[in-house]
Amino acid sequence: MIISQGAEARVYKTDFYGKPAIEKVRFQKKYRHPTLDAKILSRQINQEVRLIHRCLLNDIPVPCIYNIDKHEYKICMEYIEGDKVKDVLLKHNGENDIEGLLALKMAEVLAKMHDNGIIHGDLTTSNMIMNFGLGFVSKIPEDKAVDLYVFERAMISTFPSSAKLLSMFFESYTKMSKHSASVMNRLADVRLRGRKRDMTG
Amino acid sequence: MFKLIAIGFEGSANKLGIGIVEHTYEVDVLKNSDDTKIFEPIDIKVLSNVRDTYNPPPGQGFLPKDTAKHHRDCVIKVLKKAISDANVSVTEIDAVCYTKGPGMGAPLQSVAVVARTVAQLWKKPLIPVNHCVAHIEMGRAITGAIDPVVLYVSGGNTQVIAYSEKRIFGETLDIAIGNCLDRFARILMLSNDPSPGYNIEQMAKKGRNYIELPYSVKGMDVSFSGILSFIEQIVKKSKSLDDYSPEDLCFSLQETLFAMLVEITERAMAHVGSREVLIVGGVGCNERLQEMMEIMAKERNAKVFATDERFCIDNGIMIAQAGALAYAHGYQVPISESWVTQRYRTDQMLVKWRH
């Protein structure tokens, strides 16, 4: 059964030797040269698995990986019962205690990821843990700050009334991450410049 | 019916273009204009579109000084032809538009001087225009795209723009795609006539073997300079042409660069939920890029809008088009504020004709 379809992959619910599981299948892009396509798909799948593994080693809650099929570009992982952050926020819009708890939880996980050098790369409320395809490993405050900035922008564009949630989120993040001082300073700069460069010609 | 005729002067890079456009509006926009009203022209007519390109010898790029000289030398000839092609008298022209930036300083200045002069001679209002916004507006006018994700690819720019949000989604972190192609053409000593990119495209059609190059998409952004250095090393290190044929190199370079562009465009489309993609800018006339975009769009049930070289490559008519829209919404500057700037972001121009 298909449960979601993005620009890069389809996610199916299935079972793995009796255990409920999901299967994430990256699809080929016909516009790309086949050699290039294979290289990119294989790189993305490696990256995703490595980051999930790194999370597991560092006590960050992620689904367990059951199987990887590098020929069909499939990852089979544990099925986790629950709702997407986005759906929870939509359902409980304006309920302060639930939003507060969620902000705290998200901050906790993200602080832990960043302290272990894991950059998500595409943080939105619809793919908190599911999609590591754009993630990478880095210890630089800049990369972490951009991660937070992307998250902030995504939150504001999906939930215009998320200012309070965000302030709680940043407060908890600052408390929980060991390197938050440099990251938060950097974030101020990133916000100011908005995007990277002034255009020349 | 209200008619508005604008002339546009473009010279931000190696093309000097002058074009005249005629807009028809339902009401007299100049009398009815206030800060809240938005006017859509019911008809847009291209009266003339004249261009003269400066082509340096093979192996060289265009330098600001030489490019400015080219513009100064041929601007009167091009202006005369634009007016005679359009078959209008200068008294009928309502507004003089020119490129304010971004672009090369010296060529921008040399053309702005002419725009200022004719505006004073003819006693017409002067409208500075953002070059990138002009590209997008021209693409929209020609293709009829309504709310597209725009891929703007040229010698100086590489951006993915969500038109509805007036927001740059992704862009190059270093050099522009056209610059990457131009510089590779220089390495291979290809001719700059009619353009280096066109000659690479023709070579690439004969390429068969895909040579692996770095692939560099970072989130929503792309980076080209490393790919250029890499392919430059391949050319320099190979002892004979038997190692790698120039055709294969051109083919592989195009395949890699364009795949990166299509990937970030697709991601932007998924994000804003758009079913239209508009390709503008000089590199936008590359047929392979258009073809790859078509394949991507088809899989998403989306539609590709592209224009041909008359409107893709820098031209005067697009400056007139965006300038006419700005003028219709009450925008003009006095001569004392009619400066040019090398740096001018797409999201910095006030676009009053959109909410």
Side-chain angles (χ1 to χ4, degrees):
Chain A
M1 186 184 67
I2 187 158
I3 45 179
S4 91
Q5 157 130 30
E8 270 135 36
R10 289 183 197 97
V11 180
Y12 300 91
K13 183 160 185 218
T14 164
D15 76 32
F16 187 74
Y17 294 104
K19 287 180 184 164
I22 61 156
E23 197 166 56
K24 179 172 176 178
V25 187
R26 291 186 177 275
F27 38 76
Q28 286 162 313
K29 299 281 185 190
K30 293 197 190 70
Y31 65 81
R32 290 197 283 240
H33 190 277
T35 315
L36 178 63
D37 193 55
K39 184 174 102 175
I40 293 167
L41 288 174
S42 147
R43 186 159 85 183
Q44 283 174 339
I45 222 158
N46 275 350
Q47 194 71 345
E48 178 151 23
V49 172
R50 266 188 213 142
L51 288 175
I52 291 178
H53 183 63
R54 206 178 163 107
C55 284
L56 280 175
L57 291 178
N58 292 296
D59 271 341
I60 296 160
V62 283
C64 171
I65 293 176
Y66 292 151
N67 189 32
I68 300 155
D69 181 344
K70 282 200 70 172
H71 298 287
E72 306 272 328
Y73 309 110
K74 286 181 195 165
I75 306 180
C76 185
M77 47 191 153
E78 184 184 355
Y79 177 77
I80 296 178
E81 202 67 54
D83 296 322
K84 279 187 210 163
V85 173
K86 188 178 180 176
D87 298 334
V88 176
L89 283 175
L90 280 176
K91 216 188 319 180
H92 300 280
N93 194 9
E95 294 176 37
N96 282 337
D97 41 341
I98 291 180
E99 285 188 356
L101 188 69
L102 214 55
L104 186 80
K105 274 276 163 220
M106 289 192 290
E108 188 188 333
V109 173
L110 203 61
K112 217 173 200 179
M113 280 170 58
H114 281 180
D115 284 355
N116 288 294
I118 302 162
I119 310 295
H120 189 292
D122 187 24
L123 262 183
T124 64
T125 43
S126 23
N127 59 3
M128 285 252 118
I129 309 193
M130 281 294 299
N131 187 0
F132 273 122
L134 293 171
F136 55 100
V137 172
S138 161
K139 298 254 178 204
I140 311 169
E142 163 80 19
D143 293 328
K144 299 177 186 174
V146 169
D147 222 15
L148 291 174
Y149 178 71
V150 169
F151 174 65
E152 186 181 51
R153 289 294 301 255
M155 279 299 284
I156 293 169
S157 72
T158 347
F159 304 101
S161 58
S162 55
K164 199 164 166 209
L165 191 148
L166 278 172
S167 79
M168 285 188 283
F169 169 84
F170 284 121
E171 196 186 307
S172 315
Y173 180 89
T174 312
K175 252 183 259 161
M176 280 183 265
S177 165
K178 277 177 253 156
H179 314 287
S180 61
S182 54
V183 176
M184 293 306 283
N185 277 339
R186 196 73 203 188
L187 178 62
D189 291 347
V190 174
R191 275 193 197 122
L192 270 184
R193 70 184 170 181
R195 295 208 49 95
K196 278 124 296 204
R197 55 185 219 134
D198 208 17
M199 241 162 33
T200 321
Chain B
M1 289 305 159
F2 177 77
K3 290 207 188 292
L4 194 159
I5 297 178
I7 184 167
F9 290 81
E10 152 64 27
S12 62
N14 68 332
K15 286 106 191 160
L16 176 75
I18 300 178
I20 300 178
V21 75
E22 181 186 275
H23 280 190
T24 309
Y25 292 92
E26 274 171 341
V27 291
D28 183 341
V29 288
L30 300 178
K31 283 199 185 113
N32 284 296
S33 164
D34 66 43
D35 264 1
T36 54
K37 283 206 188 103
I38 290 181
F39 303 105
E40 278 280 342
I42 50 174
D43 188 36
I44 297 169
K45 238 191 247 146
V46 173
L47 301 181
S48 64
N49 187 11
V50 187
R51 179 164 56 211
D52 197 303
T53 305
Y54 168 57
N55 288 322
Q60 283 178 30
F62 51 92
L63 299 170
K65 188 182 79 176
D66 305 334
T67 312
K69 183 172 185 308
H70 163 267
H71 292 358
R72 286 197 300 272
D73 290 348
C74 69
V75 68
I76 299 299
K77 182 188 77 192
V78 173
L79 178 57
K80 279 183 175 159
K81 184 157 177 3
I83 293 173
S84 70
D85 281 6
N87 205 11
V88 291
S89 79
V90 293
T91 49
E92 290 172 79
I93 293 172
D94 296 293
V96 177
C97 320
Y98 73 97
T99 311
K100 177 176 166 186
M104 284 181 159
L108 278 173
Q109 271 167 3
S110 63
V111 177
V113 165
V114 181
R116 262 181 230 127
T117 310
V118 297
Q120 289 177 94
L121 274 175
W122 303 340
K123 300 189 175 57
K124 304 291 178 189
L126 197 56
I127 292 97
V129 171
N130 179 310
H131 181 88
C132 315
V133 172
H135 265 298
I136 299 170
E137 284 306 334
M138 199 63 221
R140 227 168 52 89
I142 294 293
T143 62
I146 296 161
D147 223 357
V149 163
V150 184
L151 176 68
Y152 172 24
V153 275
S154 68
N157 293 286
T158 306
Q159 306 175 338
V160 178
I161 302 152
Y163 189 75
S164 54
E165 301 182 20
K166 280 181 250 157
R167 185 147 85 86
I168 301 178
F169 248 95
E171 61 191 311
T172 173
L173 297 167
D174 38 59
I175 57 173
I177 177 143
N179 189 242
C180 183
L181 291 168
D182 288 356
R183 280 155 77 170
F184 184 61
R186 265 177 247 164
I187 294 167
L188 292 183
M189 294 299 266
L190 299 182
S191 163
N192 285 323
D193 184 26
S195 75
Y198 178 82
N199 292 324
I200 288 188
E201 185 181 353
Q202 303 319 310
M203 296 270 279
K205 283 180 184 163
K206 292 177 223 137
R208 289 290 165 268
N209 306 308
Y210 178 74
I211 301 152
E212 268 199 46
L213 299 172
Y215 183 88
S216 175
V217 171
K218 302 181 183 203
M220 288 298 295
D221 298 318
V222 287
S223 156
F224 299 121
S225 63
I227 302 174
L228 180 63
S229 307
F230 187 91
I231 199 164
E232 183 174 4
Q233 289 308 311
I234 293 184
V235 176
K236 286 193 176 150
K237 277 184 188 149
S238 54
K239 297 276 179 294
S240 70
L241 284 177
D242 300 337
D243 291 355
Y244 291 109
S245 80
E247 286 81 7
D248 285 345
L249 286 169
C250 289
F251 169 71
S252 308
L253 185 63
Q254 276 199 20
E255 288 299 312
T256 311
L257 299 182
F258 295 166
M260 291 162 59
L261 295 177
V262 178
E263 181 183 335
I264 59 169
T265 309
E266 180 171 18
R267 206 168 293 143
M269 290 174 77
H271 196 99
V272 296
S274 171
R275 290 199 183 280
E276 292 181 338
V277 51
L278 171 65
I279 313 176
V280 299
V283 182
C285 24
N286 188 302
E287 286 170 1
R288 176 60 186 149
L289 174 61
Q290 293 183 6
E291 181 188 30
M292 286 166 79
M293 201 60 91
E294 289 280 359
I295 299 171
M296 181 274 282
K298 211 174 148 202
E299 285 175 3
R300 306 186 57 84
N301 284 321
K303 205 168 174 303
V304 178
F305 296 90
T307 55
D308 60 35
E309 59 83 30
R310 287 171 300 164
F311 306 108
C312 249
I313 295 174
D314 290 352
N315 59 77
I317 199 76
M318 67 183 203
I319 303 299
Q321 165 68 11
L325 283 170
Y327 180 58
H329 293 80
Y331 181 65
Q332 57 173 292
V333 299
I335 298 290
S336 57
E337 284 168 37
S338 62
W339 39 282
V340 294
T341 170
Q342 299 199 75
R343 289 161 219 273
Y344 190 11
R345 285 181 62 94
T346 313
D347 39 11
Q348 275 173 341
M349 179 171 171
L350 185 64
V351 182
K352 262 194 177 171
W353 57 92
R354 295 286 295 181
H355 273 299

